[in-house]
Amino acid sequence: MNTIVSASILASDLSRLAEEVGRAEGAGVDWLHIDVMDGVFVDNITYGNNVVKALRRVSGMFFDTHLMIIDPTKLIPRFAEAGSDMLTIHIESAGDTENNLSEIRRLGMRAGLALKPNTPIESVYPYLPLCDMVLIMTVEPGYGGQSFIPECADKVRQLREYCRQNGFDKMNIQVDGGINADTAKIVTEAGADVLVAGSYLFGADDFKSALDSLKCGG
Ligand code: DX5
Ligand code: ZN
């Protein structure tokens, strides 16, 4: 399985966002990870559909949008219109998960379902037919720069096995939080194929070699 790297702009210099996106794109990052936080589902507030729309004007990258918001339902069409390619909602958020996932696909985006470290992996199984990707959080959502929680690798292994046994062979399994060259190796061996990395990439002296070091685990 080819490893996809999704660079999280949360760790970039937000005062120069367009340039930072250009830096990621120029280095050969596959996807751009956009963390939307509402100050309710998590402690912080980041950016929303208007920033996605602005970035769409300057970048042709695949926009992987991670919604850490309590009530995604009414905002789904706005992210579609803004230019998100993947829209990931949390299973712990409010609203009807099944309807939300269907609506994401109906509007032409890929649908992702995320779960926090303490949420059991089995809770996503009923929704897999409506998902293109499952995001297994490997830190508590809300902040960049935290340490990877090693137990989360077991969830990756369990989900990959379940997908193999139940005909979801094309399911993307994404991990998010504390990913660096060492943890990338652990999660790719467990079956993850999409790695989100923020501080490891944007904080590196050499973005390109940091990116290469994530890919060589996969
Ligand atoms: C955390 C976010 C992550 C974050 C990862 O809530 O979902 O995407 O940017 O940051 P690092 O890679 O620095 O742990
Ligand atoms: Zn994220």
Side-chain angles (χ1 to χ4, degrees):
M1 226 172 206
N2 268 345
T3 300
I4 294 168
V5 175
S6 191
S8 172
I9 54 168
L10 189 62
S12 72
D13 179 350
L14 294 175
S15 69
R16 302 162 48 247
L17 189 50
E19 283 168 55
E20 290 286 78
V21 171
R23 196 154 73 93
E25 196 161 10
V29 159
D30 305 285
W31 293 1
L32 198 72
H33 187 80
I34 305 174
D35 285 307
V36 177
M37 304 186 189
D38 66 353
V40 181
F41 186 77
V42 289
D43 294 339
N44 282 312
I45 297 176
T46 52
Y47 23 75
N49 50 302
N50 284 333
V51 168
V52 172
K53 195 174 195 168
L55 290 178
R56 188 77 291 168
R57 289 202 302 270
V58 297
S59 172
M61 284 180 89
F62 184 93
F63 284 177
D64 161 33
T65 316
H66 176 193
L67 298 185
M68 283 161 277
I69 64 178
I70 192 72
D71 189 4
T73 307
K74 64 179 185 296
L75 288 165
I76 291 169
R78 301 198 187 188
F79 282 95
E81 188 211 328
S84 288
D85 296 290
M86 167 82 76
L87 198 62
T88 297
I89 57 169
H90 266 265
I91 193 164
E92 303 88 357
S93 61
D96 184 323
T97 300
E98 205 172 312
N99 285 349
N100 284 342
L101 291 168
S102 306
E103 181 68 356
I104 291 170
R105 279 185 167 173
R106 195 184 67 78
L107 293 171
M109 298 178 285
R110 289 195 219 168
L113 186 60
L115 73 170
K116 299 206 263 187
N118 290 328
T119 303
I121 193 64
E122 293 81 4
S123 59
V124 304
Y125 292 173
Y127 301 104
L128 293 179
L130 298 168
C131 293
D132 300 290
M133 183 177 86
V134 175
L135 193 184
I136 296 179
M137 290 299 303
T138 42
V139 298
E140 283 301 329
Y143 303 88
Q146 303 179 74
S147 298
F148 175 80
I149 302 170
E151 292 75 27
C152 295
D154 297 334
K155 288 163 91 171
V156 174
R157 200 167 290 111
Q158 199 182 325
L159 177 62
R160 183 55 78 199
E161 191 50 37
Y162 183 87
C163 286
R164 272 199 199 106
Q165 287 172 359
N166 291 277
F168 300 111
D169 300 310
K170 297 217 171 86
M171 185 67 65
N172 287 127
I173 301 181
Q174 181 176 61
V175 286
D176 184 10
I179 299 300
N180 55 38
D182 297 330
T183 56
K185 205 167 177 336
I186 298 170
V187 290
T188 47
E189 276 171 11
D193 66 326
V194 187
L195 311 179
V196 176
S199 30
Y200 183 68
L201 289 175
F202 285 100
D205 291 334
D206 182 345
F207 196 110
K208 179 84 174 73
S209 29
L211 176 62
D212 291 345
S213 74
L214 292 178
K215 294 248 185 191
C216 60

